[in-house]
């Protein structure tokens, strides 16, 4: 078990000092999902949602969220991102009337700290944006799970989730 690093000698919160860490290429992939009803599925796929192109807006929201993670999560460092990419895939089971959008956010940087929080924030913001844009057609949508799938770079090495 690794030592918690976000506390000072008085037991109070601090931002970790990363000034002596090596600059490396770092990537992270996070996923989330949102279950929607059939009417919402039709609105998104047919482009008939009254608020506009749901995936286009969610993609921009995810990119903006990744870029602003340090403003949302108190102990995150502001990081110059070198890339953010978001994908949406439908997983449909019409027999059970289940429609699920899987969201994958990949974030990259070349720096001294990782981008896991940026990827998780991007995936979460995309799901929340889809909810916001579609809530008029049904508020029973369910978001999650949201999780880190993979990270590369840094002192702690690589990570890849083997199960969901």
């Amino acid at each position: 078990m690794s030592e918690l690093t976000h506390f000072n000698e008085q037991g109070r919160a601090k931002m970790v000092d990363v000034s002596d860490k090596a600059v490396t290429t770092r990537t992270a992939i996070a996923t989330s999902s949102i279950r929607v009803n059939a009417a919402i599925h039709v609105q998104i796929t047919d482009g008939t949602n009254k608020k506009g192109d749901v995936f286009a807006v969610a993609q921009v929201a995810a990119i903006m969220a990744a870029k602003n993670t340090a403003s949302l999560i108190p102990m995150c460092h502001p990081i110059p991102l070198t890339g953010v990419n978001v994908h949406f895939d439908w997983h449909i089971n019409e027999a059970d009337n289940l429609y699920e959008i899987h969201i994958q956010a990949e974030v990259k940087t070349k720096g001294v700290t990782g981008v896991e929080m940026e990827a998780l924030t991007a995936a979460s913001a995309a799901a929340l944006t889809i909810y916001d844009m579609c809530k008029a057609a049904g508020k029973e949508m369910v978001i999650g799970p949201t999780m880190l799938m993979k990270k590369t770079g840094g002192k702690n090495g690589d990570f890849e989730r083997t199960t969901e």
Side-chain angles (χ1 to χ4, degrees), residues 18-88:
V18 295
S19 55
D20 291 332
K21 291 176 80 177
V23 172
T24 62
T25 300
R26 296 158 186 265
T27 66
I29 298 172
T31 61
S32 191
S33 63
I34 181 167
R35 283 176 286 178
V36 303
N37 64 31
I40 293 170
H41 173 256
V42 169
Q43 281 186 4
I44 293 172
T45 56
D46 290 354
T48 56
N49 183 284
K50 291 180 183 177
K51 291 186 177 183
D53 183 333
V54 174
F55 286 165
V57 174
Q59 187 150 12
V60 171
I63 293 167
M64 290 176 63
K67 291 167 50 174
N68 288 290
T69 299
S71 298
L72 299 169
I73 311 297
M75 299 305 164
C76 284
H77 294 83
I79 299 174
L81 303 180
T82 58
V84 180
N85 196 6
V86 182
H87 294 278
F88 303 97

